[in-house]
Amino acid sequence: MAPHEIRRPFKRPAISDQHKRRELSLLRQAQNRRDAQQHARCLASSVVSLQAPDPEPISEPEIADEPIVESESQSTPRDIDVRQASKLKGYEARRWFARQLMLPEWMIDVPDRLSNDWYVLARPSGKRCFVVSSGGTTVSRLRNGSVLHHFPSALPNGARTRDVSGSAQSYCILDCIFHELDQTYYVIDMVCWRGYSLYDCTAEFRFFWLNSKLAETGACDSPSPYHRYRFSVVPIYNCDQTGLYTVYTGAVPYVKDGLLFYNRHAHYQTGNTPLALVWKDENCSQYVIDTDSKGQVPSQQQVVMELQDDGNLTTSDDPPVVFGCLDGDFIQKTFAKEQNIKNIGRNIADISVIGGGRSDILHR
């Protein structure tokens, strides 16, 4: 019998790129945690050594005072950004908030240990936004950083008549979806609470605090003159058979727009992350395919791809996923009017998918 005939008659399933990136994200989190612990140990040992008797105490304060301030500001840049974010205005505010949301990737495979390591929730239809309460007022900002609403709320330091016993420097940041039909902010995650940052906390801890802390403030109560919009926590389930069935088929008080999956060990990472996934089909979302302004489904579905220098058409994922490749002659003819052909990678191509897989490429 030939050697190759005794091998297994089947191939090992290929590990998806998304699966690899999930593992890398979790490894980076663990490494960052170890680095933070090492930094804390070094800081503690430095403090102890500074308390020891020194033969030259007069010159020591001048040498040690300035570096301590610099290291503190450099070690927590994100905390400083969070504290200052509520004071930003105009373009700077839009720029900062546009980069802060944790954005899910499309679910293209079934994660390992789905029932043990993942949560699932029914995503409300509406406008994704950050809600920030600080300085006696509350502001909600969309994904592009622009202001959606400016209003008083029962959140910590969210209205001038609320939280009089709390610190004037406290603030709160919630990840929400504003549902137009019932004028409600549905909270899907908690980023900061009373000045305490939850960026480096696991989803399991963030969801626990979200369910326990938000109800204490009265933010889930009906609207009032000092609490203009109602907040509501989206129910979160373990991603087992019961939880999946509940969120997929169960009734919710809002229009459902797909399912959101969160890895219970995931920190709040800004930008796209494979540790948060979204799933949509015709049974759990009315926005599975594009519709026109009248709500009608067009004859062609379009997706925007980026044309790279080597002719590859890719998605905006990180790393990008290659969709196809264009012939060099076609590129030269199509983009002959471009003044600088070397910058062709910055152009955008519309891929209109028709019927059984054939694609038309329309440059704009």
Side-chain angles (χ1 to χ4, degrees):
M1 181 178 293
H4 68 275
E5 293 178 354
I6 62 176
R7 296 176 182 174
R8 291 179 301 176
F10 58 91
K11 294 183 179 180
R12 185 185 303 275
I15 299 177
S16 71
D17 175 72
Q18 193 174 67
H19 174 78
K20 294 179 181 177
R21 288 186 288 110
R22 278 196 293 267
E23 292 184 338
L24 290 175
S25 295
L26 292 173
L27 288 175
R28 281 195 296 268
Q29 284 186 180
Q31 183 61 47
N32 292 337
R33 188 182 300 111
R34 287 192 293 268
D35 293 343
Q37 292 173 348
Q38 179 63 25
H39 176 76
R41 285 193 292 266
C42 292
L43 180 62
S45 61
S46 300
V47 172
V48 172
S49 63
L50 288 174
Q51 292 176 350
D54 190 87
E56 297 180 359
I58 299 178
S59 60
E60 185 65 20
E62 297 182 359
I63 299 175
D65 189 21
E66 190 67 23
I68 291 177
V69 176
E70 291 181 358
S71 62
E72 183 180 0
S73 62
Q74 292 175 1
S75 63
T76 58
R78 185 165 56 188
D79 291 340
I80 293 176
D81 287 341
V82 169
R83 287 195 293 266
Q84 295 177 346
S86 60
K87 301 179 182 179
L88 297 176
K89 296 181 180 180
Y91 169 75
E92 291 298 328
R94 293 192 299 270
R95 178 186 175 189
W96 190 88
F97 281 98
R99 298 178 297 167
Q100 299 308 309
L101 283 173
M102 180 175 176
L103 304 176
E105 294 186 3
W106 288 102
M107 176 180 279
I108 59 177
D109 64 4
V110 179
D112 293 339
R113 296 176 55 83
L114 181 66
S115 60
N116 297 320
D117 290 347
W118 291 79
Y119 295 112
V120 61
L121 59 92
R123 183 192 186 279
S125 172
K127 299 176 180 178
R128 180 82 179 274
C129 58
F130 256 162
V131 175
V132 181
S133 63
S134 177
T137 187
T138 306
V139 179
S140 58
R141 290 183 178 271
L142 300 174
R143 285 180 55 177
N144 61 4
S146 61
V147 175
L148 175 61
H149 295 133
H150 195 290
F151 60 100
S153 74
L155 295 175
N157 212 5
R160 298 191 182 277
T161 59
R162 303 283 303 191
D163 244 7
V164 293
S165 61
S167 171
Q169 302 299 323
S170 67
Y171 60 90
C172 173
I173 300 181
L174 301 177
D175 188 345
C176 303
I177 297 176
F178 182 69
H179 193 251
E180 293 278 358
L181 295 180
D182 57 4
Q183 295 288 290
T184 299
Y185 281 97
Y186 286 94
V187 188
I188 60 175
D189 211 333
M190 177 181 286
V191 183
C192 298
W193 187 257
R194 294 190 183 275
Y196 180 74
S197 174
L198 302 177
Y199 277 100
D200 294 328
C201 298
T202 64
E204 184 175 17
F205 180 81
R206 297 198 310 272
F207 293 158
F208 169 76
W209 261 44
L210 174 60
N211 284 278
S212 60
K213 298 295 184 180
L214 191 64
E216 297 175 356
T217 64
C220 299
D221 298 341
S222 301
S224 66
Y226 301 103
H227 178 58
R228 186 172 303 171
Y229 295 100
R230 186 174 69 92
F231 288 80
S232 180
V233 178
V234 177
I236 301 170
Y237 299 87
N238 291 321
C239 199
D240 51 20
Q241 185 176 2
T242 303
L244 281 172
Y245 181 81
T246 301
V247 299
Y248 190 73
T249 63
V252 290
Y254 48 80
V255 178
K256 192 183 302 182
D257 185 23
L259 307 181
L260 282 175
F261 297 81
Y262 285 88
N263 187 292
R264 68 169 61 238
H265 307 293
H267 297 174
Y268 196 95
Q269 304 176 14
T270 58
N272 293 91
T273 172
L275 299 179
L277 305 173
V278 60
W279 170 268
K280 293 185 182 182
D281 60 29
E282 63 275 7
N283 295 322
C284 63
S285 175
Q286 59 179 339
Y287 306 110
V288 183
I289 55 179
D290 292 333
T291 56
D292 56 23
S293 59
K294 299 180 180 179
Q296 302 297 322
V297 179
S299 59
Q300 299 179 5
Q301 292 290 304
Q302 294 185 336
V303 58
V304 178
M305 312 292 290
E306 184 176 354
L307 182 58
Q308 304 293 342
D309 294 336
D310 56 2
N312 285 337
L313 289 169
T314 66
T315 65
S316 60
D317 298 307
D318 184 20
V321 178
V322 178
F323 182 85
C325 184
L326 298 183
D327 183 77
D329 294 337
F330 175 81
I331 295 177
Q332 291 290 340
K333 294 178 182 179
T334 305
F335 298 92
K337 297 181 180 180
E338 295 290 337
Q339 295 181 355
N340 189 355
I341 196 69
K342 293 182 180 179
N343 293 328
I344 196 173
R346 297 189 178 92
N347 289 289
I348 299 297
D350 280 350
I351 312 301
S352 301
V353 183
I354 306 174
R358 182 173 64 87
S359 298
D360 288 344
I361 300 178
L362 307 173
H363 172 255
R364 67 177 184 182

